[in-house]
Amino acid sequence: MNNTISYKGYTGTVEFSETDGIFYGKVVGIRALISYEGTNAKDLIDDFHNAVDDYLIVCREEGISPEKAYKGGFNVRISPELHKAAALYALSHQISLNNFVEQAIKNQLKEKVL
């Protein structure tokens, strides 16, 4: 089961509240809070689309650029020992640390996502 939905380059979560009897979610990968809900799947998707469209309209009206999710840069916290080992491995293989991390992530996700 896929617990995400996509629209205009934005990805949102799909959750269900048994207590309230509603589906709900929020756009992930950006700082702005864009949330939506619905009593069924169609309503949830419609509200998600409307929420994203409203966000884009507000950005345009305020003259600001809408945030883009997953721009390709992120910070990772690891132990100093692992950081050193990865840096030395990359150096000894004449690749950048960024390239080493990118390849490691690709290898891990190869069968699952990409």
Side-chain angles (χ1 to χ4, degrees), residues 6-60:
S6 298
Y7 178 66
K8 293 188 176 179
Y10 293 92
T11 301
T13 61
V14 176
E15 306 284 340
F16 180 71
S17 170
E18 184 176 359
T19 305
D20 299 322
I22 63 166
F23 293 93
Y24 66 95
K26 68 179 182 176
V27 172
V28 294
I30 62 174
R31 290 183 305 256
L33 176 59
I34 304 172
S35 60
Y36 43 89
E37 64 181 47
T39 55
N40 57 51
K42 182 185 179 329
D43 289 347
L44 177 78
I45 292 168
D46 289 346
D47 201 41
F48 170 59
H49 290 184
N50 290 334
V52 170
D53 288 339
D54 288 347
Y55 170 70
L56 296 173
I57 289 168
V58 168
C59 288
R60 185 174 61 242

Side-chain angles (χ1 to χ4, degrees), residues 35-110:
S35 60
Y36 43 89
E37 64 181 47
T39 55
N40 57 51
K42 182 185 179 329
D43 289 347
L44 177 78
I45 292 168
D46 289 346
D47 201 41
F48 170 59
H49 290 184
N50 290 334
V52 170
D53 288 339
D54 288 347
Y55 170 70
L56 296 173
I57 289 168
V58 168
C59 288
R60 185 174 61 242
E61 289 174 350
E62 294 183 5
I64 59 174
S65 296
E67 290 182 75
K68 298 290 182 196
Y70 311 113
K71 294 174 263 188
F74 64 98
N75 293 321
V76 178
R77 306 262 187 262
I78 58 175
S79 71
E81 296 80 15
L82 186 57
H83 185 179
K84 179 180 177 182
L88 292 174
Y89 179 91
L91 182 65
S92 70
H93 287 83
Q94 299 177 335
I95 59 174
S96 70
L97 182 56
N98 280 342
N99 188 287
F100 170 70
V101 171
E102 181 177 357
Q103 291 304 314
I105 291 171
K106 282 181 180 177
N107 288 339
Q108 187 65 30
L109 295 176
K110 185 178 1 180

